[in-house]
Amino acid sequence: MRGHDLLEALASPLNLPQALIQDFLYARTPMLITGEAGKGKSVISMQIALSLSSATPLFGALPIAQPCRVYFMQMEGLPEAALERMKYQAERVRLDPDYLYWDANKRTRLNCLELRSMKSKLDEIAGAFDPYPPDLVTIDPIYKAVGGADLADAHAALSLIDFCDRLLDRFRASSLLIHHPHREKYTAYGKKIDEPDSFYGHSYLKNYVEVAYVFRQLTTDGEEAELSRTKMREEHSLEHLPLRYHPETYSCSMPIPPSHGDKTDAIRALLKECALAQRRITMAEIRQRIPVTPQFLRTLRRRFMAEGWLDAIWDPGKPTIWVPKLTPNDSNTSTDA
Protein backbone atom coordinates (compact mmCIF):
# COMPACT_ATOMS: atom_id res chain seq x y z
CA MET A 1 0.00 0.00 0.00
CA ARG A 2 1.49 3.32 -1.10
CA GLY A 3 1.54 6.35 1.18
CA HIS A 4 -1.48 8.06 -0.43
CA ASP A 5 -3.45 4.80 -0.32
CA LEU A 6 -2.51 4.50 3.32
CA LEU A 7 -3.79 8.01 4.09
CA GLU A 8 -7.04 7.21 2.28
CA ALA A 9 -7.42 4.02 4.33
CA LEU A 10 -6.80 5.92 7.57
CA ALA A 11 -9.46 8.48 6.63
CA SER A 12 -12.04 5.74 6.02
CA PRO A 13 -13.94 3.88 8.75
CA LEU A 14 -11.80 0.94 9.86
CA ASN A 15 -13.21 -2.58 9.79
CA LEU A 16 -12.13 -3.49 13.31
CA PRO A 17 -13.04 -6.92 14.73
CA GLN A 18 -16.43 -6.83 16.45
CA ALA A 19 -16.94 -8.26 19.90
CA LEU A 20 -18.29 -11.79 20.00
CA ILE A 21 -18.22 -11.49 23.79
CA GLN A 22 -17.94 -7.94 25.07
CA ASP A 23 -14.56 -7.10 26.62
CA PHE A 24 -13.35 -10.68 26.16
CA LEU A 25 -13.47 -12.40 22.74
CA TYR A 26 -13.45 -10.73 19.32
CA ALA A 27 -14.10 -11.73 15.73
CA ARG A 28 -11.16 -12.86 13.57
CA THR A 29 -9.05 -13.33 16.70
CA PRO A 30 -7.01 -16.31 17.94
CA MET A 31 -7.24 -16.71 21.74
CA LEU A 32 -5.34 -19.02 24.09
CA ILE A 33 -6.53 -20.23 27.50
CA THR A 34 -4.05 -22.20 29.59
CA GLY A 35 -4.82 -24.10 32.78
CA GLU A 36 -3.88 -27.17 34.77
CA ALA A 37 -5.36 -30.54 33.87
CA GLY A 38 -8.58 -31.37 35.68
CA LYS A 39 -9.04 -27.87 37.07
CA GLY A 40 -11.91 -26.65 34.90
CA LYS A 41 -10.58 -25.50 31.50
CA SER A 42 -13.08 -27.68 29.65
CA VAL A 43 -15.90 -26.31 31.79
CA ILE A 44 -14.86 -22.80 30.73
CA SER A 45 -14.46 -23.67 27.04
CA MET A 46 -17.84 -25.44 26.92
CA GLN A 47 -19.58 -22.58 28.74
CA ILE A 48 -18.13 -20.17 26.19
CA ALA A 49 -19.53 -22.36 23.39
CA LEU A 50 -23.01 -22.67 24.91
CA SER A 51 -23.17 -18.96 25.75
CA LEU A 52 -22.20 -17.94 22.23
CA SER A 53 -24.70 -20.35 20.65
CA SER A 54 -27.64 -18.75 22.48
CA ALA A 55 -26.29 -15.23 23.08
CA THR A 56 -26.47 -15.87 26.84
CA PRO A 57 -24.14 -13.47 28.72
CA LEU A 58 -20.88 -15.29 29.45
CA PHE A 59 -20.55 -16.12 33.15
CA GLY A 60 -23.88 -14.32 33.54
CA ALA A 61 -22.07 -11.02 33.08
CA LEU A 62 -20.35 -10.39 29.72
CA PRO A 63 -22.87 -9.44 26.99
CA ILE A 64 -23.12 -11.33 23.70
CA ALA A 65 -24.92 -9.25 21.08
CA GLN A 66 -26.13 -12.10 18.88
CA PRO A 67 -25.86 -15.90 18.59
CA CYS A 68 -22.55 -17.11 17.13
CA ARG A 69 -21.81 -20.41 15.39
CA VAL A 70 -19.29 -22.50 17.32
CA TYR A 71 -17.48 -25.58 16.03
CA PHE A 72 -16.18 -27.36 19.14
CA MET A 73 -13.46 -30.02 18.86
CA GLN A 74 -13.29 -32.19 21.96
CA MET A 75 -9.84 -33.71 21.59
CA GLU A 76 -9.54 -35.72 24.81
CA GLY A 77 -11.71 -37.41 27.42
CA LEU A 78 -14.78 -39.59 27.13
CA PRO A 79 -17.60 -38.10 25.03
CA GLU A 80 -20.11 -39.41 27.59
CA ALA A 81 -18.39 -37.45 30.38
CA ALA A 82 -18.51 -34.27 28.32
CA LEU A 83 -22.19 -34.82 27.55
CA GLU A 84 -22.87 -35.26 31.26
CA ARG A 85 -21.24 -31.89 32.01
CA MET A 86 -23.09 -30.27 29.14
CA LYS A 87 -26.42 -31.66 30.35
CA TYR A 88 -26.09 -29.92 33.72
CA GLN A 89 -24.45 -26.79 32.30
CA ALA A 90 -27.42 -26.31 29.98
CA GLU A 91 -29.56 -25.75 33.10
CA ARG A 92 -27.74 -22.44 33.53
CA VAL A 93 -26.70 -21.64 29.97
CA ARG A 94 -29.15 -22.27 27.14
CA LEU A 95 -27.84 -24.28 24.18
CA ASP A 96 -29.09 -23.35 20.69
CA PRO A 97 -28.60 -26.50 18.56
CA ASP A 98 -28.52 -24.50 15.33
CA TYR A 99 -25.40 -22.65 16.46
CA LEU A 100 -23.27 -25.40 18.02
CA TYR A 101 -21.50 -28.33 16.37
CA TRP A 102 -19.75 -30.71 18.73
CA ASP A 103 -16.99 -32.86 17.22
CA ALA A 104 -15.68 -35.69 19.44
CA ASN A 105 -14.96 -38.17 16.62
CA LYS A 106 -11.52 -39.67 17.28
CA ARG A 107 -11.38 -41.35 13.86
CA THR A 108 -11.43 -37.97 12.09
CA ARG A 109 -9.44 -36.09 14.74
CA LEU A 110 -7.46 -33.14 13.42
CA ASN A 111 -3.72 -33.64 12.88
CA CYS A 112 -2.12 -30.39 11.83
CA LEU A 113 1.07 -32.21 10.81
CA GLU A 114 -0.81 -33.86 7.93
CA LEU A 115 -2.07 -31.62 5.13
CA ARG A 116 -4.77 -34.13 4.18
CA SER A 117 -6.13 -34.11 7.74
CA MET A 118 -6.21 -30.31 7.82
CA LYS A 119 -8.04 -30.05 4.49
CA SER A 120 -10.51 -32.75 5.49
CA LYS A 121 -11.26 -31.05 8.80
CA LEU A 122 -11.69 -27.66 7.11
CA ASP A 123 -14.25 -29.24 4.75
CA GLU A 124 -16.01 -30.83 7.72
CA ILE A 125 -16.15 -27.45 9.47
CA ALA A 126 -17.50 -25.84 6.29
CA GLY A 127 -20.35 -28.34 6.19
CA ALA A 128 -21.32 -28.01 9.84
CA PHE A 129 -23.40 -24.85 9.36
CA ASP A 130 -23.67 -24.84 5.57
CA PRO A 131 -24.07 -22.36 3.94
CA TYR A 132 -22.92 -20.21 6.89
CA PRO A 133 -19.34 -20.13 8.22
CA PRO A 134 -18.47 -20.65 11.89
CA ASP A 135 -17.68 -17.64 14.06
CA LEU A 136 -15.47 -19.60 16.46
CA VAL A 137 -13.58 -22.88 16.29
CA THR A 138 -12.50 -24.33 19.64
CA ILE A 139 -9.72 -26.92 19.96
CA ASP A 140 -9.71 -28.49 23.42
CA PRO A 141 -6.85 -29.27 24.04
CA ILE A 142 -4.37 -28.29 21.33
CA TYR A 143 -1.64 -30.83 22.12
CA LYS A 144 -3.90 -33.50 20.60
CA ALA A 145 -4.08 -31.58 17.32
CA VAL A 146 -0.43 -32.14 16.37
CA GLY A 147 -0.32 -35.94 16.21
CA GLY A 148 1.54 -36.45 19.45
CA ALA A 149 4.35 -34.01 18.60
CA ASP A 150 5.72 -31.62 21.21
CA LEU A 151 4.30 -28.09 20.90
CA ALA A 152 7.69 -26.82 22.07
CA ASP A 153 8.89 -27.92 18.64
CA ALA A 154 8.78 -25.14 16.04
CA HIS A 155 7.34 -27.37 13.30
CA ALA A 156 4.44 -28.53 15.48
CA ALA A 157 3.66 -24.99 16.65
CA LEU A 158 3.79 -23.60 13.11
CA SER A 159 1.53 -26.40 11.84
CA LEU A 160 -1.12 -25.47 14.39
CA ILE A 161 -0.72 -21.79 13.50
CA ASP A 162 -1.13 -22.70 9.82
CA PHE A 163 -4.45 -24.39 10.59
CA CYS A 164 -5.69 -21.34 12.53
CA ASP A 165 -4.65 -19.10 9.65
CA ARG A 166 -6.63 -21.30 7.27
CA LEU A 167 -9.67 -20.93 9.56
CA LEU A 168 -9.24 -17.19 9.38
CA ASP A 169 -8.69 -17.05 5.62
CA ARG A 170 -11.52 -19.43 4.69
CA PHE A 171 -14.16 -18.56 7.30
CA ARG A 172 -12.92 -15.34 8.98
CA ALA A 173 -13.37 -17.38 12.16
CA SER A 174 -11.81 -16.82 15.55
CA SER A 175 -10.00 -19.71 17.19
CA LEU A 176 -10.04 -20.66 20.88
CA LEU A 177 -7.04 -22.80 21.80
CA ILE A 178 -7.22 -24.68 25.10
CA HIS A 179 -3.82 -25.68 26.42
CA HIS A 180 -2.08 -27.39 29.33
CA PRO A 181 0.73 -25.56 31.18
CA HIS A 182 4.24 -26.87 31.69
CA ARG A 183 4.98 -29.11 34.63
CA GLU A 184 5.04 -27.59 38.08
CA LYS A 185 8.37 -26.13 39.15
CA TYR A 186 9.85 -26.25 42.64
CA THR A 187 12.67 -24.48 44.45
CA ALA A 188 15.74 -26.36 45.73
CA TYR A 189 13.87 -26.60 49.05
CA GLY A 190 10.84 -28.29 47.51
CA LYS A 191 8.54 -25.28 47.56
CA LYS A 192 6.24 -24.93 44.56
CA ILE A 193 6.99 -21.89 42.40
CA ASP A 194 3.85 -19.88 41.73
CA GLU A 195 4.18 -18.50 38.19
CA PRO A 196 1.78 -15.89 36.76
CA ASP A 197 2.11 -17.51 33.32
CA SER A 198 2.90 -21.21 33.03
CA PHE A 199 2.67 -21.36 29.21
CA TYR A 200 4.27 -24.42 27.63
CA GLY A 201 5.25 -24.51 24.00
CA HIS A 202 7.22 -22.70 21.33
CA SER A 203 7.29 -18.91 21.42
CA TYR A 204 5.82 -18.90 17.90
CA LEU A 205 2.49 -20.03 19.35
CA LYS A 206 2.42 -17.49 22.18
CA ASN A 207 3.43 -14.74 19.76
CA TYR A 208 0.70 -15.74 17.31
CA VAL A 209 -2.36 -15.40 19.52
CA GLU A 210 -3.93 -11.99 19.99
CA VAL A 211 -4.86 -12.55 23.62
CA ALA A 212 -4.00 -15.18 26.22
CA TYR A 213 -5.48 -16.01 29.61
CA VAL A 214 -4.47 -18.31 32.43
CA PHE A 215 -7.26 -20.10 34.30
CA ARG A 216 -6.54 -21.07 37.88
CA GLN A 217 -8.43 -22.19 40.97
CA LEU A 218 -7.97 -20.00 44.04
CA THR A 219 -9.42 -22.29 46.72
CA THR A 220 -8.95 -25.97 47.46
CA ASP A 221 -12.64 -26.70 46.77
CA GLY A 222 -12.31 -24.95 43.41
CA GLU A 223 -15.31 -22.69 43.96
CA GLU A 224 -13.25 -19.51 43.63
CA ALA A 225 -11.29 -19.17 40.41
CA GLU A 226 -10.03 -16.56 37.96
CA LEU A 227 -9.04 -15.86 34.40
CA SER A 228 -6.00 -13.58 34.27
CA ARG A 229 -4.79 -12.05 31.03
CA THR A 230 -1.14 -12.78 30.25
CA LYS A 231 -0.91 -11.43 26.72
CA MET A 232 -2.76 -8.85 24.65
CA ARG A 233 -2.18 -7.22 21.31
CA GLU A 234 -5.19 -4.93 21.31
CA GLU A 235 -6.26 -3.52 24.66
CA HIS A 236 -9.96 -4.34 24.44
CA SER A 237 -10.19 -7.29 26.82
CA LEU A 238 -10.54 -7.35 30.59
CA GLU A 239 -7.34 -7.96 32.54
CA HIS A 240 -8.96 -10.05 35.27
CA LEU A 241 -12.18 -12.07 35.51
CA PRO A 242 -13.03 -13.22 39.07
CA LEU A 243 -15.09 -16.41 38.80
CA ARG A 244 -17.36 -18.40 41.10
CA TYR A 245 -17.62 -22.07 40.18
CA HIS A 246 -21.00 -23.78 40.67
CA PRO A 247 -20.31 -27.54 40.88
CA GLU A 248 -23.99 -28.49 40.73
CA THR A 249 -24.20 -27.18 37.14
CA TYR A 250 -20.55 -27.31 35.99
CA SER A 251 -20.70 -23.56 35.33
CA CYS A 252 -19.07 -20.32 36.40
CA SER A 253 -20.39 -16.85 37.15
CA MET A 254 -18.79 -13.48 37.83
CA PRO A 255 -19.86 -10.05 39.09
CA ILE A 256 -21.62 -8.01 36.41
CA PRO A 257 -19.34 -5.18 35.20
CA PRO A 258 -20.82 -1.82 34.13
CA SER A 259 -22.29 -1.79 30.63
CA HIS A 260 -20.67 0.31 27.92
CA GLY A 261 -23.45 2.86 28.30
CA ASP A 262 -22.99 2.99 32.05
CA LYS A 263 -19.22 3.33 31.61
CA THR A 264 -19.68 6.22 29.18
CA ASP A 265 -22.04 7.98 31.58
CA ALA A 266 -19.64 7.42 34.49
CA ILE A 267 -16.67 8.80 32.54
CA ARG A 268 -18.73 11.77 31.31
CA ALA A 269 -19.74 12.54 34.91
CA LEU A 270 -16.11 12.27 36.08
CA LEU A 271 -14.92 14.61 33.33
CA LYS A 272 -17.69 17.09 34.12
CA GLU A 273 -16.59 17.01 37.76
CA CYS A 274 -13.02 17.74 36.63
CA ALA A 275 -14.20 20.59 34.37
CA LEU A 276 -16.15 22.25 37.18
CA ALA A 277 -13.09 22.01 39.42
CA GLN A 278 -10.81 23.13 36.54
CA ARG A 279 -8.81 19.97 37.06
CA ARG A 280 -7.06 17.85 34.46
CA ILE A 281 -6.86 14.07 34.44
CA THR A 282 -4.98 11.19 32.73
CA MET A 283 -6.16 7.92 31.24
CA ALA A 284 -4.50 5.99 34.08
CA GLU A 285 -6.38 8.05 36.68
CA ILE A 286 -9.69 7.41 34.92
CA ARG A 287 -9.01 3.64 34.85
CA GLN A 288 -8.27 3.70 38.58
CA ARG A 289 -11.76 5.06 39.16
CA ILE A 290 -13.73 3.21 36.45
CA PRO A 291 -12.97 -0.34 35.13
CA VAL A 292 -12.58 0.20 31.38
CA THR A 293 -10.13 -0.96 28.73
CA PRO A 294 -7.64 1.44 27.10
CA GLN A 295 -9.29 0.79 23.71
CA PHE A 296 -12.64 1.93 25.11
CA LEU A 297 -11.07 5.13 26.45
CA ARG A 298 -9.23 5.83 23.19
CA THR A 299 -12.48 5.61 21.24
CA LEU A 300 -14.31 7.72 23.80
CA ARG A 301 -11.58 10.40 23.84
CA ARG A 302 -11.85 10.90 20.08
CA ARG A 303 -15.63 11.10 20.33
CA PHE A 304 -15.57 13.65 23.18
CA MET A 305 -12.94 15.76 21.39
CA ALA A 306 -15.05 15.74 18.22
CA GLU A 307 -18.02 16.92 20.31
CA GLY A 308 -15.89 19.85 21.42
CA TRP A 309 -15.85 19.51 25.17
CA LEU A 310 -12.52 17.77 25.67
CA ASP A 311 -8.96 18.73 24.76
CA ALA A 312 -5.77 16.71 25.11
CA ILE A 313 -2.22 17.79 25.84
CA TRP A 314 0.62 15.64 24.56
CA ASP A 315 4.01 16.39 26.15
CA PRO A 316 7.05 14.25 25.26
CA GLY A 317 7.91 11.84 28.02
CA LYS A 318 4.75 12.56 30.03
CA PRO A 319 1.28 10.99 30.24
CA THR A 320 -1.34 12.49 27.94
CA ILE A 321 -3.41 15.05 29.84
CA TRP A 322 -7.19 15.14 29.35
CA VAL A 323 -8.58 18.67 29.68
CA PRO A 324 -12.39 18.60 30.12
CA LYS A 325 -14.29 21.74 29.10
CA LEU A 326 -17.70 22.91 30.30
CA THR A 327 -20.57 22.91 27.82
CA PRO A 328 -23.04 25.85 27.93
CA ASN A 329 -25.48 23.67 29.90
CA ASP A 330 -22.78 22.76 32.40
CA SER A 331 -21.82 26.44 32.74
CA ASN A 332 -25.44 27.45 33.39
CA THR A 333 -25.76 24.73 36.01
CA SER A 334 -22.60 25.92 37.71
CA THR A 335 -23.77 29.58 37.68
CA ASP A 336 -27.24 28.72 39.01
CA ALA A 337 -25.70 26.78 41.86
Side-chain angles (χ1 to χ4, degrees):
M1 185 179 290
R2 295 180 299 179
H4 290 289
D5 298 327
L6 181 59
L7 284 176
E8 184 177 342
L10 292 175
S12 304
L14 300 178
N15 183 26
L16 296 174
Q18 298 299 306
L20 301 181
I21 304 173
Q22 185 176 297
D23 294 335
F24 183 68
L25 177 62
Y26 287 77
R28 312 196 309 273
T29 298
M31 172 187 273
L32 176 73
I33 295 180
T34 303
E36 295 180 32
K39 298 294 185 179
K41 295 188 308 302
S42 293
V43 167
I44 294 295
S45 62
M46 183 54 70
Q47 188 166 352
I48 290 171
L50 266 62
S51 294
L52 281 170
S53 78
S54 58
T56 302
L58 180 63
F59 308 133
L62 302 179
I64 298 173
Q66 60 187 21
C68 299
R69 297 174 183 85
V70 181
Y71 189 99
F72 191 100
M73 284 187 246
Q74 180 191 326
M75 305 290 283
E76 71 176 1
L78 291 173
E80 294 81 5
L83 287 171
E84 176 76 0
R85 290 194 297 269
M86 201 185 308
K87 174 181 178 180
Y88 285 100
Q89 197 172 93
E91 294 178 9
R92 289 283 295 264
V93 186
R94 190 172 70 85
L95 185 162
D96 188 327
D98 293 328
Y99 284 83
L100 179 61
Y101 189 97
W102 182 55
D103 178 3
N105 191 338
K106 294 182 180 180
R107 289 176 297 178
T108 60
R109 179 182 290 162
L110 170 67
N111 182 354
C112 295
L113 297 180
E114 296 180 359
L115 183 59
R116 179 183 299 178
S117 175
M118 281 206 295
K119 290 182 175 179
S120 175
K121 185 58 65 177
L122 288 167
D123 289 341
E124 189 175 346
I125 293 171
F129 305 105
D130 188 51
Y132 304 103
D135 300 293
L136 175 71
V137 175
T138 298
I139 306 176
D140 182 8
I142 56 175
Y143 83 90
K144 285 280 192 174
V146 289
D150 191 338
L151 279 167
D153 175 71
H155 179 60
L158 288 172
S159 297
L160 178 62
I161 290 170
D162 181 30
F163 180 75
C164 294
D165 277 341
R166 290 170 185 261
L167 289 175
L168 187 58
D169 292 341
R170 183 165 175 177
F171 307 116
R172 297 174 66 82
S174 296
S175 51
L176 175 57
L177 310 178
I178 307 301
H179 192 27
H180 295 304
H182 60 62
R183 293 179 180 176
E184 295 178 350
K185 296 181 179 180
Y186 296 85
T187 66
Y189 300 98
K191 183 179 179 180
K192 182 181 175 181
I193 300 174
D194 186 18
E195 298 177 274
D197 186 3
S198 53
F199 170 77
Y200 175 80
H202 201 281
S203 59
Y204 288 159
L205 181 58
K206 187 64 176 290
N207 294 338
Y208 171 73
V209 298
E210 295 285 332
V211 60
Y213 281 92
V214 168
F215 173 74
R216 58 171 62 91
Q217 294 181 352
L218 302 179
T219 56
T220 54
D221 61 9
E223 292 200 9
E224 290 186 25
E226 67 177 3
L227 279 167
S228 295
R229 195 182 62 200
T230 58
K231 190 258 175 100
M232 63 176 178
R233 186 162 284 129
E234 295 297 335
E235 299 167 303
H236 49 31
S237 59
L238 295 173
E239 296 178 26
H240 179 73
L241 283 72
L243 301 176
R244 168 69 63 177
Y245 175 60
H246 306 283
E248 64 273 20
T249 55
Y250 291 102
S251 63
C252 291
S253 64
M254 64 175 283
I256 299 177
S259 69
H260 276 202
D262 293 338
K263 292 175 184 177
T264 300
D265 292 341
I267 293 168
R268 193 190 299 272
L270 175 59
L271 295 180
K272 179 180 177 181
E273 175 187 314
C274 291
L276 290 169
Q278 297 185 337
R279 181 166 61 87
R280 300 171 178 181
I281 196 168
T282 66
M283 178 185 284
E285 290 170 333
I286 294 173
R287 294 188 68 209
Q288 288 175 356
R289 299 271 296 272
I290 304 167
V292 292
T293 65
Q295 180 61 39
F296 183 81
L297 279 180
R298 276 193 290 268
T299 302
L300 206 59
R301 176 188 60 79
R302 297 195 74 178
R303 170 184 158 187
F304 287 169
M305 291 181 70
E307 292 173 357
W309 61 277
L310 178 68
D311 284 335
I313 300 174
W314 289 274
D315 283 334
K318 297 181 180 179
T320 301
I321 305 297
W322 291 36
V323 186
K325 299 186 294 184
L326 291 175
T327 66
N329 289 337
D330 294 332
S331 300
N332 293 336
T333 302
S334 178
T335 303
D336 293 342

